[in-house]
Amino acid sequence: MHKFADLIEQHLEELAALDSMDGGKLFFFNKVLDIPGSAETLRYYAGAADKIHGETLKMSSAYHAYTLREPIGVVGHIIPWNFPTVMFFMKVSPALAVGCTMIVKPAEQTPLSALYYAHLAKLAGIPDGVINVVTGFGSTAGAAICSHMDVDKISFTGSTEVGRLVMQAAATSNLKAVSLELGGKSPLIIFDDADVDMAVELAHLAIFFNKGEICVAGSRVYVQEGIYDEFVRKSAEKAKRRVVGDPFDPHVEQGPQVDKKQFEKILAYIEHGKKEGATLLTGGKPFGDKGYYIEPTIFTDVKEDMLIAKDEIFGPVMSLMKFKTVDEAIERGNKTRYGLAAGIVTKDLNVANRVSRSIRAGVIWINCYFAFDRDCPYGGYKMSGFGRDMGLHALDKYLQTKSVVTPLYDSPWL
């Protein structure tokens, strides 16, 4: 695994270029974040590989007993197109560390880096058959993995709709274990005592990073009434300054959406927002006359029953809403079928503690956003799925616990 990580770093430029060409991701961020970060994820779990152990049990009668933590078996990893490299190693690394073999199906939109990683795995000395990459469509290749009788576990990241199909296939085949990381409609709650400029920066990052194609995007922004007007003005100004264009240009901040289907879906949601009565503050149109570029878009006067506030758009569209009290912020923040992430911006520790314990989401960021780390578990509540990626918790998804019991004869103690 360490050798695998070394090879990734040696081929950083090629890998960064593949993810940019396939998915429209910024080449610069691939080079400084996604690719090197994924090599470090491999090293993190390599360090865990020899620290997986069971327990000696204290039985109530004359038996010696202990537990073994055994690899679950063959794992099917089905990964999305928005972070091809990050998702590959978020799933492959812990499964490798515990001793599983695996089939990885990358998204049909972004298969190239996964194929390159299979090549590098072979060069690193990972035995044939341990990491297998199968390209194809979800309805064919993905479905075959989910229903296969010799696959013991599915780890899926993608939409809630497809997550249901994964569970159905697992249930009707061999009742294989399933973990799901699904959609999100994460609230970012900004209180009156916040530093407005910092809050604007965080909100901008939370929705426009990676052109909004990120499951934990802070797409519902709640701002307390005392700073709302200033926040709206500064957010609009910042969105208008955002540089959209060629993802290989180092000055560009936002590349194209992944494909035509996603591009048209986002624009359709923007039209829904306008028809439902939200106010289009800025953006809302394709950028330029070619390619799948969309202007950074902000709506105000958004209500919770509007589609743009309920559905995961997966694009650069912010819904801005005003609130008065902490209780109102908590109630409205939880008014979603999803529960992947949330952000809180305040200088009041009591408010931060209360709200972080009240919002039903798998990760809460206080005065920060996208503060991911390989040691920090990540996953959803409600219809955002179950199971945790990252951290030592991720190892549990790929392990079975076996109890071994043997009788004791003439033991001086139990």
Side-chain angles (χ1 to χ4, degrees):
M1 291 175 72
H2 281 291
K3 175 70 185 225
F4 195 1
D6 292 342
L7 287 169
I8 290 167
E9 290 178 338
Q10 290 168 26
H11 294 83
L12 188 149
E13 291 270 343
E14 303 102 292
L15 291 162
L18 288 176
D19 280 352
S20 292
M21 289 187 290
D22 251 0
K25 294 172 63 64
L26 296 184
F27 179 68
F28 171 76
F29 278 113
N30 290 340
K31 275 185 66 174
V32 301
L33 290 177
D34 288 18
I35 312 300
S38 295
E40 287 306 311
T41 298
L42 257 179
R43 293 193 176 101
Y44 173 89
Y45 285 106
D50 60 355
K51 299 169 184 68
I52 297 164
H53 52 76
E55 301 170 300
T56 302
L57 306 176
K58 183 67 173 176
M59 303 289 275
S60 59
S61 51
Y63 292 96
H64 170 64
Y66 58 92
T67 59
L68 296 172
R69 305 297 305 283
E70 296 185 343
I72 200 167
V74 180
V75 180
H77 299 295
I78 301 176
I79 60 176
W81 43 257
N82 57 331
F83 285 87
T85 290
V86 171
M87 291 293 175
F88 187 100
F89 288 102
M90 186 184 291
K91 296 186 181 298
V92 165
S93 303
L96 265 182
V98 306
C100 291
T101 59
M102 63 209 71
I103 304 143
V104 184
K105 194 205 86 66
E108 58 265 28
Q109 297 90 341
T110 54
L112 295 181
S113 59
L115 293 166
Y116 204 116
Y117 291 127
H119 165 65
L120 294 182
K122 189 171 179 66
L123 294 181
I126 291 175
D128 290 351
V130 173
I131 300 177
N132 309 278
V133 174
V134 176
T135 60
F137 292 96
S139 59
T140 51
I145 293 169
C146 293
S147 60
H148 201 289
M149 296 299 289
D150 293 327
V151 173
D152 303 290
K153 160 80 184 187
I154 295 292
S155 177
F156 171 79
T157 296
S159 71
T160 300
E161 294 73 24
V162 176
R164 291 180 188 273
L165 299 176
V166 170
M167 289 190 73
Q168 289 171 7
T172 56
S173 55
N174 60 346
L175 285 172
K176 58 178 66 66
V178 174
S179 57
L180 304 173
E181 193 263 280
L182 307 174
K185 196 68 181 174
S186 301
L188 175 61
I189 303 170
I190 300 167
F191 290 91
D192 277 346
D193 64 341
D195 179 298
V196 176
D197 290 334
M198 185 267 274
V200 167
E201 290 288 336
L202 278 183
H204 187 88
L205 170 72
I207 186 59
F208 298 129
F209 179 70
N210 203 52
K211 57 260 184 22
E213 293 174 348
I214 182 165
C215 47
V216 291
S219 51
R220 294 185 297 140
V221 181
Y222 294 93
V223 183
Q224 202 163 13
E225 58 185 0
I227 60 170
Y228 179 81
D229 291 340
E230 181 184 1
F231 182 93
V232 168
R233 176 176 55 80
K234 290 185 174 181
S235 289
E237 291 170 355
K238 185 166 182 62
K240 290 173 183 175
R241 293 195 301 268
R242 189 168 179 82
V243 182
V244 180
D246 182 352
F248 285 92
D249 183 338
H251 300 104
V252 164
E253 298 171 283
Q254 181 177 314
Q257 310 308 137
V258 68
D259 60 13
K260 183 179 181 181
K261 180 180 177 182
Q262 187 63 19
F263 173 76
E264 291 177 345
K265 173 188 168 186
I266 296 164
L267 292 175
Y269 271 113
I270 291 171
E271 289 306 308
H272 270 296
K274 291 191 283 189
K275 288 175 184 175
E276 289 180 317
T279 301
L280 182 62
L281 182 67
T282 186
K285 303 188 300 297
F287 177 86
D289 55 5
K290 64 178 181 177
Y292 303 133
Y293 300 92
I294 294 178
E295 295 176 343
T297 300
I298 301 176
F299 280 103
T300 58
D301 303 314
V302 178
K303 304 292 189 294
E304 268 82 10
D305 60 354
M306 294 179 178
L307 274 181
I308 59 170
K310 293 194 299 184
D311 288 2
E312 182 181 46
I313 298 173
F314 227 61
V317 182
M318 178 193 294
S319 292
L320 260 175
M321 290 166 273
K322 185 193 298 186
F323 72 93
K324 293 183 178 181
T325 67
V326 175
D327 285 339
E328 180 191 351
I330 292 169
E331 180 185 356
R332 295 174 70 186
N334 279 326
K335 200 170 184 180
T336 173
R337 60 187 179 271
Y338 297 113
L340 200 52
I344 302 164
V345 186
T346 181
K347 296 174 184 174
D348 188 326
L349 184 60
N350 293 326
V351 169
N353 284 334
R354 179 183 170 195
V355 177
S356 63
R357 284 160 173 75
S358 301
I359 295 293
R360 296 192 65 213
V363 59
I364 309 290
W365 289 303
I366 300 172
N367 296 329
C368 58
Y369 212 85
F370 297 142
F372 290 109
D373 190 89
R374 57 194 63 89
D375 198 45
C376 185
Y378 159 72
Y381 284 33
K382 300 190 283 187
M383 289 178 69
S384 289
F386 48 85
R388 292 295 178 266
D389 290 310
M390 304 304 276
L392 297 179
H393 291 264
L395 299 171
D396 295 335
K397 297 198 304 184
Y398 306 110
L399 288 165
Q400 291 270 39
T401 299
K402 176 185 286 183
S403 297
V404 181
V405 183
T406 183
L408 289 173
Y409 300 103
D410 302 323
S411 175
W413 53 275
L414 297 179

